[in-house]
Amino acid sequence: MAQLPLKDLLVLDLTAVVYGPYTTQILGDLGADVIKIEPLRGDDVRHITPTKEGGLSALFMGLNRNKRSICLDLKSESGKDALRHLCRRADFFVHNMRAAKIKALGFGYEYVKTLNPGIIYGELVGYGQNGPWADMPAYDDVIQGQSGLAGSFTARDGTPSLIPSIIADKTSALMAVSALQSALIQKLRTGVGGHVEVPMYE
């Protein structure tokens, strides 16, 4: 292709660990300008072994290519002001925090859309926000267990087992990329941004 399809679109990436970073990395692979916004200590995955150099673990490097990075203290007014400035010119705002946490920081969808009505807000969560587990944290192995995926091995092996890959995170990330791009198509047709929620469990 002469030009990647998401060229010149700005993605604010407030994600960590695997699910969110894999989602935004794919958007970057498709040409988007991704700014990874990390806390002052950096994404926790930076420090998971194996690592050849401090802060640049193999897992981190495998999930964050094609991105620029900035550290912001979102509990400080200066950090919040910097993020507000970025929100006003961004095309996507993507996070994988619990909904209560992002709202406590002051950047829930209802507020972010006041800064930029055309923004596509991606909320990559563990569980659907209308259900009883809405504010529960979720990790790949938890979702493999709760979804019944681990239990499906019982028929073959007599015991539950985890798939030896980060399959729930990665599968959910692929669904999130599809949903975010669908929201972009809708925006191109209507001029209206939107709120995309992609829960891992569901």
Side-chain angles (χ1 to χ4, degrees):
M1 298 176 71
Q3 179 173 296
L4 291 171
L6 300 185
K7 186 177 184 296
D8 298 328
L9 296 180
L10 177 60
V11 177
L12 302 184
D13 174 6
L14 286 83
T15 70
V17 192
V18 176
Y19 175 20
Y22 189 46
T23 300
T24 53
Q25 176 175 269
I26 295 170
L27 296 177
D29 289 345
L30 293 170
D33 178 11
V34 181
I35 300 178
K36 183 174 177 70
I37 297 166
E38 301 182 62
L40 299 184
R41 69 181 181 281
D43 186 335
D44 290 339
V45 171
R46 282 182 175 274
H47 310 288
I48 292 177
T49 56
T51 179
K52 190 172 183 180
E53 187 175 330
L56 294 174
S57 70
L59 182 58
F60 180 84
M61 297 299 286
L63 295 167
N64 291 286
R65 66 174 175 256
N66 297 327
K67 299 180 185 180
R68 296 187 285 159
S69 182
I70 184 173
C71 288
L72 294 177
D73 178 3
L74 294 181
K75 294 181 180 177
S76 73
E77 274 310 306
S78 61
K80 290 177 191 288
D81 283 344
L83 184 54
R84 289 183 192 109
H85 173 74
L86 289 168
C87 284
R88 291 186 181 100
R89 60 188 188 90
D91 298 285
F92 295 90
F93 181 108
V94 183
H95 78 86
N96 65 341
M97 300 178 204
R98 290 178 296 110
K101 182 176 179 182
I102 195 78
K103 286 176 184 172
L105 290 171
F107 289 92
Y109 172 63
E110 293 302 322
Y111 176 69
V112 171
K113 76 174 183 179
T114 67
L115 301 173
N116 181 349
I119 204 161
I120 296 167
Y121 187 99
E123 198 151 26
L124 314 185
V125 293
Y127 306 95
Q129 295 303 291
N130 293 323
W133 296 342
D135 201 38
M136 295 287 289
Y139 295 94
D140 189 272
D141 52 355
V142 173
I143 298 299
Q144 284 198 46
Q146 288 181 320
S147 68
L149 187 59
S152 67
F153 285 90
T154 305
R156 187 187 73 183
D157 302 328
T159 183
S161 181
L162 295 175
I163 292 175
S165 180
I166 314 169
I167 195 73
D169 280 325
K170 291 177 179 177
T171 302
S172 299
L174 294 173
M175 292 300 297
V177 169
S178 178
L180 290 165
Q181 290 187 104
S182 295
L184 176 62
I185 292 170
Q186 179 172 294
K187 178 183 173 180
L188 293 173
R189 288 175 172 166
T190 66
V192 178
H195 181 193
V196 175
E197 177 191 301
V198 187
M200 291 175 68
Y201 178 69
E202 283 78 359

